[in-house]
Amino acid sequence: MKKIVRIMIMAFVALLTCNTLSAKDIDTLKTNDGDIAGPQLIDDREPEPPVFWYFIRIRIDSKKREVEITGGGGKISSGTKKAFDKAIWWGISHRQIAVGPFYSEAEALNSKIYYKKSRDKINELPQATAPSTMHWFELQLQELKRLNSFEMVHSPAAVSSGSAETFTDALYEGLSFRRLSIGPFWDYTQAEQAKAIYRLNEPVGGQ
């Protein structure tokens, strides 16, 4: 009889253990609001599609107050928008500029065509998939010689639109005024979103 009672008690304890969550288990299943995360709260969102970018090397002539492209179009990198934001910061701290983010590798490859040391070195044509009207914006930069890096200077800059030739004109004319055009993007909204990401890397207070 005692053996039967002991078996029943063990079975009851096992059943209770299987159907009872420990405090640690409950904490694991809690949402940020403190509620228990049921099946309806499982995050099944699609992963964020990758964006694409590349780095160019520039030099700022402090006497002429001009920007010179010294190396254009490194390899194409890809990742999340958060990764691209980190790439911007890494670039300016290493005297490079991350150009992007583009929604496709083809768009990034098309952009690389324009970033040459001089305009007469552009010997390629925009890809056939590129639209006739593209979009871009300008950055203003200054050199921090003591830190051997660059800094973005806050300046009002609207998104501009036009043909490939118009973008090329804007790019090389802007260099003479210590401005660097970023693009060209194939979608206007995309250019606006890219501009907002770069603005996050400007000095606090817009100085």
Side-chain angles (χ1 to χ4, degrees):
M1 184 69 179
K2 290 183 178 179
K3 185 176 181 180
I4 295 175
V5 172
R6 187 182 301 111
I7 292 174
M8 291 179 63
I9 293 175
M10 291 176 63
F12 176 77
V13 171
L15 180 63
L16 184 64
T17 301
C18 292
N19 290 278
T20 304
L21 289 172
S22 67
K24 182 178 180 181
D25 294 330
I26 293 175
D27 287 340
T28 301
L29 293 177
K30 281 185 177 180
T31 66
N32 292 334
D33 296 325
D35 297 326
I36 300 299
Q40 73 276 12
L41 296 179
I42 295 176
D43 188 354
D44 59 353
R45 291 175 296 180
E46 291 289 332
E48 180 183 348
V51 294
F52 303 84
W53 68 88
Y54 58 91
F55 291 96
I56 61 172
R57 294 187 301 277
I58 66 171
R59 184 178 71 87
I60 298 178
D61 189 320
S62 56
K63 293 183 179 180
K64 295 182 179 180
R65 299 178 66 83
E66 294 179 352
V67 173
E68 177 185 357
I69 298 173
T70 60
K75 69 175 184 178
I76 302 295
S77 300
S78 64
T80 63
K81 288 183 178 179
K82 185 176 181 179
F84 173 69
D85 181 56
K86 292 181 179 179
I88 294 178
W89 178 86
W90 183 91
I92 59 176
S93 64
H94 290 78
R95 304 173 70 84
Q96 298 183 48
I97 301 297
V99 180
F102 299 100
Y103 288 169
S104 69
E105 187 172 6
E107 188 178 5
L109 288 169
N110 179 76
S111 172
K112 286 179 61 177
I113 293 172
Y114 305 95
Y115 291 91
K116 309 294 184 181
K117 292 184 179 181
S118 62
R119 180 171 181 158
D120 58 11
K121 292 186 179 295
I122 301 176
N123 52 15
E124 303 174 69
L125 295 175
Q127 295 187 7
T129 52
S132 57
T133 299
M134 294 181 279
H135 316 277
W136 63 91
F137 58 91
E138 290 185 330
L139 297 179
Q140 186 168 350
L141 303 162
Q142 67 180 7
E143 187 175 18
L144 301 177
K145 292 186 177 181
R146 293 182 60 184
L147 298 178
N148 197 32
S149 64
F150 297 130
E151 182 178 63
M152 296 181 189
V153 179
H154 178 74
S155 61
V159 170
S160 300
S161 303
S163 65
E165 184 175 356
T166 305
F167 170 72
T168 307
D169 289 340
L171 172 60
Y172 288 94
E173 289 175 7
L175 296 177
S176 299
F177 298 95
R178 211 175 61 187
R179 292 177 178 272
L180 178 67
S181 295
I182 300 295
F185 299 95
W186 292 357
D187 178 80
Y188 182 89
T189 301
Q190 178 188 357
E192 286 282 7
Q193 293 173 347
K195 184 181 73 172
I197 295 175
Y198 281 88
R199 291 293 183 263
L200 293 175
N201 288 273
E202 292 178 349
V204 177
Q207 296 179 353

